[in-house]
Amino acid sequence: MNRQRRYGRTLPEALGEYTRRDPARFHMPGHKGQDIPYGNRLTGWDVTELDGTDNLANPAGVIAVTEGAYRDAYGARASMLLVGGSTSGLLTMSLALGRGRRVLLGRDSHKSALAALALADHDARFLLPEVNPTEGLAGMLTPRQVEEALQAQPADAVLLTSPNYYGFCADVEGIADVAHAYGALLLVDGAHGAHFPFSPQLPDFPAKKVDLWCVSVHKTMAAFTQSAVLHVGKHCPMDPERVRRMRNMVQTTSPSYLLMSSLDRALYVATKIGYQRHMERVEALRARIGRINGLRVLDRDSLGYGAVDMDLTRVVIDVTERGIDGPQAYECLVNSGIVCEMCDAYRVVLITTPQDPDEWYDRLIDGLTHLPYGMSRLHKEPPYIAMGRQVCSLGEAMLGPTERIPLAGAVGRVAAVAAGVYPPGLACLVPGEEIQGDAAAYLLQQQAKGFALFGVEEGRISCIKED
Ligand SMILES: Cc1ncc(COP(=O)(O)O)c(C=O)c1O
């Protein structure tokens, strides 16, 4: 068959092969391939709106019960199930603002946030997070930065990402106070922090202060991929029914009952089993990794530059003292049967959850102990963070006519897409921005070093078409 000839296997075969390898999975989804109570009943539970199964668009039965349980667990005024990930949560939040509003957001925002703002034709203003030079990492937005930006020019909403991929958290409460003082709503992309309410050792989330936020339950809890939840804060001035209407506009009319019931189970598991034991074993794991020659686990010492707390279940291992880079470490671990969530130039990032079998931690320690040594300690360079001139709105840039141009010759043109180095995915260029020589040179240099770029395909970038 053609499709098999091209890749040597079909999609189900690729999944079968992955599960047969039985790797220690330090990546999402948070259920880690462990049993959530479906067993071989998967197709049996894949139903539609029936007598007794309620209707996600307007829940009044079993789905309303699950949504109510989320609302109570997260201290929200209303909670809504999402079957399109936090991506659909960001779309909902953006549409709930209306059209053409002024939104302040960090340059570290996920691409789904940019798409969400573009589709509602909002006027987006970017803020650059500070840079942590010791770690060579972007920090988080700060209340002071947000205040200065709001003083300079008002906005209808601030869209904050917290936690980030590395588990660092911004001062959400401080930013909420500032946003509200200037008449702006605070929306939070909390995709990576779904599990925060379930342990006092995890970062606090000021649910009372935030207007709208979404969490990708599938990333860190025992739910199927795409399962997420959108919350309306207790003091959000918006009518939850408006938010629900927008949520319904961006989701399928045939939501998967497998995803929705996995959301129900994930909450049950997190509440009943809790995170206490997991926090203890992760602490022990972090200490064991710290004792391995040339490895360092990022901890609270790395806070600052806008980060006020961190998620200790996210195990970020700096491998530079070992003289190897992140991609090398990632690859070696894969060869030892350990798959991490991601790597950047200097680190590997692992997602741990209560669903991890204990045995994986011994395998991980073994794999890390046997990582090779390089010639000399790697010097960390700060990530490229700079802002170009914003020529037009995200919507105009992303939805208008475009042409693909070799990046080397695109200086001075207006980007129609976000572009940067992946991982970690921080944008060097955002849609609507004039391409600076420095940004293009940095991207080309990183590509030459072997790093993958996003927003640049076969050396070309989509730019706004010129007449
Ligand atoms: C910060 C952030 N926000 C939003 C998303 C989108 O979440 P989802 O995959 O649940 O749609 C991601 C996905 O990785 C993310 O990292």
Side-chain angles (χ1 to χ4, degrees), residues 388-391 410-415 429-430 432-436:
R389 190 168 65 94
Q390 192 74 27
V391 176
V411 174
R413 297 291 300 263
V414 181
L429 292 167
V430 293
E433 192 173 70
E434 191 178 81
I435 300 177
Q436 306 295 301

